[in-house]
Amino acid sequence: MEKMNRANQLTILRIILIVPFLLFLWLSYFGGSDITYILVVKATFRIIALAIFAIAVITDYYDGKIARETNTVTDFGKLMDPIADKLLTFTFLLVLLQAGVISLLLVLILLFREFFITAIRALVSNKTSKIIPASKYGKYKTIALYVGLFIIGLIPVFPYITYMLNSIILLPAVVLSIISAISYTKTAISLLEGENEEIEIEGE
């Protein structure tokens, strides 16, 4: 069955991993305030959460690699792979936001970009029956966001200092998200105008 090839199974696995990831990440930021609890229990939860996050990121790399090498790229994969990425990264971002250790403005920029790209994909799919895969800038944005979030997860929480440092770490991903949104828009316009019918876009 097309939808259940090995690459797509990895995409589904990444979505499933979000549940335990959210649980352990949340517990690592919220709960007891006793120093022993923070240094032992919360630190353990954070390590587990980051380990799950790393496994999920690895599945993101291999599902695309396997799909290309085995020539099993499907519309299901093109659609669900970016959705899995969004669910994973925004789960991380929303927990950080709730914990007060990241800028709301930066998260809103990233969130708006995702809604914008989703709308463009839906429009192009409806008008041309084509699904726009991720651009190379989308790939760079995803890598920058994965790396930035992992680093942020390693940083202990200190008032004000952590907030500012985390925002700086997230900036490259935000800039790349804006650039990739422009790239998507140009591609969408070309497709809607009937140009580049055989366009190939490097996926994530």
Side-chain angles (χ1 to χ4, degrees):
M1 184 176 177
E2 181 194 54
K3 293 185 179 180
M4 289 306 294
N5 62 44
R6 188 178 302 175
N8 291 339
Q9 287 174 347
L10 288 176
T11 297
I12 294 171
L13 173 61
R14 185 155 74 260
I15 294 174
I16 293 172
L17 287 174
I18 292 171
V19 176
F21 169 68
L22 171 60
L23 174 63
F24 286 107
L25 186 67
W26 182 271
L27 290 173
S28 76
Y29 278 101
F30 302 96
S33 57
D34 177 80
I35 187 64
T36 301
Y37 186 87
I38 293 173
L39 293 177
V40 179
V41 180
K42 283 191 175 183
T44 300
F45 288 151
R46 186 76 60 82
I47 291 171
I48 294 173
L50 290 177
I52 295 172
F53 183 73
I55 292 170
V57 170
I58 290 171
T59 69
D60 184 25
Y61 170 75
Y62 277 104
D63 63 10
K65 179 180 175 64
I66 291 171
R68 289 188 296 271
E69 290 182 350
T70 60
N71 196 29
T72 55
V73 177
T74 64
D75 284 344
F76 176 85
K78 289 179 183 179
L79 180 65
M80 293 305 299
D81 185 58
I83 289 176
D85 297 340
K86 291 176 181 63
L87 289 174
L88 179 64
T89 55
F90 277 97
T91 294
F92 207 143
L93 286 168
L94 291 176
V95 172
L96 294 175
L97 192 60
Q98 185 66 28
V101 295
I102 204 167
S103 167
L104 173 61
L105 176 60
L106 297 184
V107 174
L108 287 177
I109 291 173
L110 290 168
L111 187 60
F112 176 78
R113 182 262 186 195
E114 300 305 337
F115 279 121
F116 179 70
I117 297 303
T118 299
I120 287 178
R121 277 181 163 161
L123 176 63
V124 171
S125 177
N126 182 56
K127 296 292 185 180
T128 69
S129 298
K130 294 179 180 294
I131 294 177
I132 306 178
S135 70
K136 62 181 180 180
Y137 297 108
K139 177 180 179 180
Y140 300 153
K141 181 272 300 180
T142 300
I143 293 173
L145 190 54
Y146 280 156
V147 172
L149 288 174
F150 192 85
I151 293 173
I152 288 172
L154 295 173
I155 299 175
V157 178
F158 298 105
Y160 304 110
I161 296 176
T162 301
Y163 179 90
M164 295 179 64
L165 184 58
N166 288 349
S167 296
I168 292 171
I169 292 171
L170 199 60
L171 271 177
V174 172
V175 172
L176 286 168
S177 74
I178 295 172
I179 294 173
S180 67
I182 295 172
S183 174
Y184 273 109
T185 302
K186 290 180 178 178
T187 300
I189 291 173
S190 294
L191 289 173
L192 290 172
E193 291 179 347
E195 301 173 6
N196 301 322
E197 290 294 328
E198 300 301 324
I199 189 167
E200 293 184 2
I201 307 171
E202 185 178 348
E204 293 180 338

